[in-house]
Amino acid sequence: NEDLRRVAGTESFAFDDPIWARVSACDITVPRKTMRAALEKARAAWAGELSANGVTGNFAQLLRHLVQLVARCTSGDHARVREEDVTGALNVVLLVRVAAKNHVEVLSEEQLARLYGAAEPAWPGRNEVGRDAPTLLNAVCDALSLLLMSESHQPHTFFTYSLQAECTQLVTVLCATQLTRPASSPHLLL
């Protein structure tokens, strides 16, 4: 997808740029076992480009879209949530999980914390990181936690099993750094 290549490239995109709507609306097919090697190679290349071009801020914008779309699906405002919103949330969570899998394999904990916004405001221009203002990493964790702790039949939720399963996989990938690090290391993520 050309838009995915552009996001991973050197061009910087604002949060409200139309490219994010196209990225969240694109068709993403997850290949089965026969395509695993090709998927792994493509995943590593795309995620590597995305993190290497960290100065664009596009990965942070992708994380902000994850927060916004997942929050919309769990808001309880069913009149405003459409199937396209759920599909968009699923696509963005999948893209972040694909990138995160590469990131936890090749980046240090400090680099991961920086890339995932541990010291960055969740919504620049609206607040600064502080006691009452969440970091981007906290906002991502909160959005994922709300979706994972909600039951699909509760009135304040609107999401599919696929979205919940993909969020579970993303949290598992993000926890991989803590599961594999020595007990004496400080906790940086989640």
Side-chain angles (χ1 to χ4, degrees):
N1 182 314
E2 181 58 31
D3 287 327
L4 292 175
R5 280 191 281 283
R6 288 181 62 205
V7 166
T10 58
E11 190 176 353
S12 183
F13 298 98
F15 179 80
D16 57 353
D17 192 289
I19 196 166
W20 297 113
R22 292 191 307 270
V23 164
S24 68
C26 69
D27 287 330
I28 298 176
T29 304
V30 179
R32 299 297 174 219
K33 293 179 183 178
T34 58
M35 297 291 292
R36 186 174 180 96
L39 176 64
E40 290 296 315
K41 184 178 179 182
R43 169 195 61 83
W46 183 78
E49 283 182 48
L50 187 62
S51 59
N53 293 321
V55 296
T56 64
N58 290 339
F59 189 69
Q61 298 296 18
L62 185 64
L63 292 174
R64 288 183 180 95
H65 280 277
L66 179 147
V67 171
Q68 182 184 53
L69 290 167
V70 169
R72 186 177 298 151
C73 292
T74 58
S75 70
D77 188 359
H78 298 298
R80 295 186 66 195
V81 179
R82 305 174 318 240
E83 185 177 342
E84 293 83 22
D85 296 323
V86 176
T87 301
L90 180 60
N91 286 345
V92 171
V93 171
L94 175 66
L95 290 171
V96 172
R97 181 182 58 82
V98 164
K101 186 172 184 218
N102 184 71
H103 295 152
V104 299
E105 291 172 357
V106 299
L107 300 176
S108 70
E109 288 183 2
E110 292 79 15
Q111 291 169 317
L112 282 167
R114 189 171 38 259
L115 183 63
Y116 284 78
E120 184 175 336
W123 306 104
R126 294 187 200 167
N127 58 35
E128 295 299 320
V129 174
R131 224 165 92 189
D132 297 326
T135 65
L136 181 54
L137 178 60
N138 288 123
V140 168
C141 293
D142 289 348
L144 294 173
S145 297
L146 178 61
L147 187 131
L148 293 175
M149 291 187 293
S150 299
E151 294 182 36
S152 60
H153 67 272
Q154 291 180 338
H156 70 283
T157 60
F158 184 80
F159 56 87
T160 65
Y161 171 79
S162 296
L163 179 57
Q164 194 168 30
E166 199 60 50
C167 287
T168 301
Q169 290 179 37
L170 174 56
V171 170
T172 302
V173 168
L174 291 174
C175 288
T177 58
Q178 293 184 355
L179 296 172
T180 59
R181 112 179 107 54
S184 61
S185 299
H187 295 281
L188 291 176
L189 292 177
L190 303 177

